[in-house]
């Protein structure tokens, strides 16, 4: 691996940039590994990277049924924030935000993490009370979040219409300054390159078709479309397909998979400085470095694996954006797409061990998994290496649906997640 | 837009007229106080979530407003059939 630096850039420039090597080799499956990660999205690649880097477990394969970063890693709206209400969630998501901070340096790959701020608009008295409660709870947990008056919100985000005549008047906003965006593909590529350099095999177009278990019930290996791979530890990070993979091990999961759509506009000059979310009007928006407005909202209503949704959901989202930002009414949309998100009953992830020895799971991130990428990878690696959850992800166990200790962010975080 | 056949109206109507109402054939326990934690978990939270044939409830909210059941392929989103509530699983 060639380290990226000013010097290497200069040296390669002398050769017209013709001699850059590939970022990572396309590996072939070997007969056995110490650990296998199912799913080469940001979370899975991150787990492989931290397994190799922090715990010295380098005989690791990441197997992926499609192409690397082609699932929800490549389909999200790239927002990073950690202003969650409950202690458990605040610790979990803030663990990720702390890792985002040094990620480009750590990976020697620019993930373009931009702390441009995430602003949540309050349109009614309930919003004001709910956001201020969030702000106080966040501050007690060491997560930055502050209240802005409409004037301050306008100063931070000039496109905002704060006139009392607006269809949805802005009565204030909650701002997390450390929140922002990152380049989603770069995250997958950066983790893949760094993990591969440490000896991890990244195997694409290799679907898991079965999980083999021994007489004691423990994992012995995985059957794939490219042959059998023996391993004692399997970490599943398969997002919308988690239910399918888990059933191979005989486990029924409290998950449902829904399409979540997003869309981008034609690229325009910089007009939008931060991320703005409105739970009440039900949409969120930011501008990518390429200039496209990146827009998203809630899921479609029915269970599906089709990676596309209904047009009326998109129409509803755009109507909401035009209500809040009338200046975008004449923008043309360039493309829209859908990803399949795995949703838990309490809208909090499941990250930890399973009843099957040697089988670990990282799922249930629903509509908000991208922001947690480095944290989820780190914690899944810890859980696999130590065979026990880290204190941060211990509350996000599978048993909570039996014991009743839910982490009910669905009620707390309103719609956008 | 998906098209759904309402078994009560006996008409194929646009999906906008319908509301999804979750997995079908999840029977409410007859004697709730007798249920163990495992049975409560299964009833409340565990879902089939199959990649393929899915039994689900829909409601013709902007039509007859009645609940009915459907079988849909979750990969193609195509409806295989719909049938009235109370009829056995198909």
């Amino acid at each position: 691996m060639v380290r990226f630096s000013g010097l290497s850039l200069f040296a390669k420039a002398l050769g017209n940039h013709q001699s850059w090597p590939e970022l990572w080799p396309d590996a072939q499956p070997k007969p056995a590994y110490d650990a296998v990660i199912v799913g080469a999205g940001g979370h899975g690649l991150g787990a492989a990277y931290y397994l190799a880097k922090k715990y010295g477990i380098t005989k690791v394969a990441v197997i992926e049924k499609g192409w690397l970063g082609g699932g929800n890693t490549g389909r999200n709206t790239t927002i990073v924030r950690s202003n969650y209400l409950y202690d458990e969630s605040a610790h979990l998501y803030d663990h990720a935000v702390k890792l985002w901070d040094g990620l480009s340096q750590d990976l020697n790959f620019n993930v373009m993490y931009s702390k441009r701020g995430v602003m949540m608009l309050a349109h009614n008295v309930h919003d004001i009370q709910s956001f201020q409660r969030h702000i106080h709870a966040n501050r007690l947990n060491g997560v930055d979040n502050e209240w802005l008056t409409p004037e301050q919100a306008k100063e931070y985000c000039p496109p905002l219409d704060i006139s009392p005549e607006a269809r949805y008047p802005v009565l204030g906003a909650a701002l997390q300054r450390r929140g922002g965006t990152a380049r989603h593909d770069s995250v997958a590529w950066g983790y893949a390159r760094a993990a591969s350099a440490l000896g991890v095999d990244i195997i694409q177009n290799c679907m898991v078709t079965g999980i083999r278990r021994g007489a004691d019930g423990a994992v012995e290996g995985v059957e794939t479309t490219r042959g059998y791979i023996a391993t004692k530890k399997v970490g599943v990070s398969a997002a919308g397909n988690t239910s399918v993979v888990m059933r191979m091990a005989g486990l029924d999961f409290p998950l449902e998979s829904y399409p979540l759509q997003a869309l981008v506009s034609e690229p325009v000059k910089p007009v939008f400085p931060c991320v703005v979310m409105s739970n009440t009007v039900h949409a969120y928006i930011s501008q990518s470095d390429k200039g496209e407005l990146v827009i998203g909202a809630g899921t479609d209503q029915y269970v599906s694996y089709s990676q596309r949704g209904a047009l009326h959901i998109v129409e509803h989202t755009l109507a909401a954006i035009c209500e809040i930002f009338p200046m975008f009414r004449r923008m043309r949309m360039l493309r829209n797409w859908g990803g399949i998100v795995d949703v838990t009953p309490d809208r909090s992830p499941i990250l930890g061990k399973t009843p099957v020895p040697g089988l670990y799971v990282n799922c249930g991130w629903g509509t908000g998994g991208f922001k947690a990428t480095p944290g989820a990878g780190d914690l899944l690696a810890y859980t696999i290496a130590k065979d026990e959850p880290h204190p941060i992800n211990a509350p996000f166990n599978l048993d909570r649906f039996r014991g009743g200790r839910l982490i009910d962010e669905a009620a707390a975080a309103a719609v956008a997640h | 837009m998906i098209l759904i056949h309402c078994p009560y109206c006996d008409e194929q109507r646009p999906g906008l007229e319908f509301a999804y109402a979750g997995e079908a054939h999840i029977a409410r326990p007859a004697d709730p106080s007798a249920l163990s934690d495992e049975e409560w978990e299964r009833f409340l939270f565990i879902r089939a979530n199959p990649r393929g044939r899915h039994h689900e409830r829909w409601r013709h909210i902007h039509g007859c407003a009645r609940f009915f059941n459907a079988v849909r392929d979750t990969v193609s989103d195509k409806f295989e059939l719909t049938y009235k509530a109370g009829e056995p699983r198909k």
Side-chain angles (χ1 to χ4, degrees):
Chain A
M1 185 178 92
V2 177
R3 259 192 87 73
F4 293 128
S5 67
L7 198 65
S8 66
L9 189 66
F10 179 74
K12 297 287 182 190
L14 294 177
N16 264 343
H17 295 293
Q18 296 303 303
S19 59
W20 287 104
E22 59 184 3
L23 290 182
W24 64 87
D26 193 22
Q28 302 304 313
K30 294 191 190 106
Y33 289 95
D34 290 340
V36 168
I37 307 287
V38 180
H43 287 222
L45 292 166
Y49 170 68
Y50 292 115
L51 269 178
K53 187 191 167 210
K54 283 183 152 177
Y55 308 107
I57 303 173
T58 55
K59 244 188 113 193
V60 176
V62 185
I63 54 178
E64 165 60 50
K65 76 180 167 80
W67 65 96
L68 182 149
N72 294 347
T73 297
R75 295 164 189 267
N76 60 77
T77 46
T78 77
I79 294 166
V80 174
R81 66 184 178 92
S82 62
N83 52 356
Y84 283 73
L85 179 66
Y86 293 122
D87 296 350
E88 298 87 345
S89 316
H91 295 148
L92 179 69
Y93 289 98
D94 213 50
H95 178 62
V97 170
K98 285 174 189 150
L99 286 173
W100 275 113
D101 231 342
L103 195 59
S104 295
Q105 286 74 26
D106 186 21
L107 299 178
N108 182 234
F109 200 93
N110 190 0
V111 299
M112 297 164 80
Y113 172 42
S114 155
K115 285 183 259 190
R116 57 185 66 184
V118 171
M119 198 160 79
M120 296 176 133
L121 301 179
H123 299 290
N124 52 44
V125 174
H126 170 78
D127 282 351
I128 295 175
Q129 291 170 343
S130 156
F131 289 173
Q132 294 198 341
R133 183 182 173 211
H134 272 72
I135 289 169
H136 294 312
N138 288 160
R139 289 188 154 184
L140 287 172
N141 280 319
V143 176
D144 74 304
N145 199 356
E146 62 191 270
W147 179 254
L148 301 185
T149 62
E151 292 73 26
Q152 288 168 326
K154 170 91 179 162
E155 200 185 329
Y156 195 77
C157 181
L160 207 58
D161 177 9
I162 57 164
S163 65
E165 293 80 39
R167 172 69 183 84
Y168 296 100
V170 175
L171 304 181
L175 173 67
Q176 183 178 24
R177 290 182 192 270
R178 287 191 305 149
T181 58
R183 172 96 169 86
H184 51 358
D185 294 326
S186 283
V187 178
W189 298 334
Y191 272 126
R193 173 172 168 271
S196 193
L198 293 171
V200 172
D201 280 356
I202 296 158
I203 304 157
Q204 301 180 83
N205 299 309
C206 177
M207 188 166 78
V208 176
T209 53
I211 295 175
R212 208 182 278 181
R213 293 167 65 186
D216 57 348
V219 168
E220 280 192 338
V222 288
E223 315 270 2
T224 76
T225 48
R226 293 172 68 177
Y228 177 70
I229 300 172
T231 180
K232 293 260 179 262
K233 295 188 170 195
V234 174
V236 177
S237 198
N241 283 295
T242 305
S243 293
V244 178
V245 178
M246 282 302 159
R247 203 152 288 133
M248 295 172 191
L251 298 176
D252 291 325
F253 255 58
L255 289 173
E256 288 192 299
S257 300
Y258 293 95
L260 177 66
Q261 299 184 76
L263 62 164
V264 292
S265 73
E266 58 192 341
V268 290
K269 289 189 174 175
V271 288
F272 208 79
C274 60
V275 181
V276 171
M277 321 181 78
S278 168
N279 289 351
T280 300
V281 191
H282 203 177
Y284 54 89
I285 183 168
S286 64
Q287 188 174 20
S288 73
D289 291 329
K290 214 196 298 181
E292 304 151 323
L293 297 177
V294 184
I295 296 166
T299 62
D300 277 56
Q301 58 173 341
Y302 47 80
V303 166
S304 176
Y305 288 82
S306 64
Q307 292 193 318
R308 58 183 176 183
L311 187 63
H312 66 92
I313 303 285
V314 174
E315 268 186 316
H316 182 84
T317 304
L318 286 177
I321 289 294
C322 292
E323 293 285 10
I324 312 171
F325 299 105
M327 62 185 273
F328 292 140
R329 271 186 194 161
R330 288 164 63 195
M331 287 285 280
R332 282 169 297 188
M333 293 300 130
L334 205 60
R335 59 183 192 278
N336 76 316
W337 63 90
I340 299 303
V341 299
D342 44 330
V343 178
T344 57
D346 62 358
R347 302 301 189 268
S348 287
I350 302 168
L351 177 43
K353 297 172 73 170
T354 69
V356 175
L359 184 63
Y360 307 88
V361 71
N362 167 43
C363 69
W365 290 94
T367 58
F370 176 74
K371 64 174 81 69
T373 303
D378 184 42
L379 295 168
L380 180 59
Y382 182 100
T383 308
I384 293 174
K386 310 265 183 190
D387 194 35
E388 63 179 18
H390 189 277
I392 294 177
N393 64 306
F396 295 89
N397 56 48
L398 185 57
D399 296 337
R400 71 180 190 269
F401 299 100
R402 184 165 302 177
R405 189 173 277 277
L406 303 183
I407 304 164
D408 198 3
E409 287 288 344
V415 192
H417 193 49
Chain B
M1 162 117 20
I2 54 174
L3 295 173
I4 304 175
H5 179 263
C6 172
Y8 294 100
C9 304
D10 199 19
E11 270 194 72
Q12 186 107 330
R13 304 293 299 169
L16 269 179
E17 289 187 12
F18 298 83
Y20 179 72
E23 190 179 333
H25 302 295
I26 297 175
R28 190 174 280 266
D31 183 6
S33 58
L35 254 57
S36 67
D37 286 352
E38 287 74 15
E39 287 165 325
W40 271 119
E41 181 194 24
R42 185 152 286 279
F43 168 66
L44 288 173
F45 300 130
I46 303 292
R47 294 294 175 262
N49 197 28
R51 192 183 168 93
R53 222 166 166 260
H54 189 226
H55 289 77
E56 56 196 23
R57 299 193 308 162
W58 285 82
R59 191 180 180 199
H60 195 184
I61 188 80
H62 296 294
C64 63
R66 299 186 73 171
F67 283 93
F68 60 91
N69 293 331
V71 181
R72 185 176 51 91
D73 186 309
T74 58
V75 178
S76 66
D77 287 342
K78 248 185 200 161
F79 280 82
E80 184 183 318
L81 58 103
T82 58
Y83 54 98
K84 290 176 182 169
E87 289 179 18
R89 189 184 176 93
K90 295 193 176 172

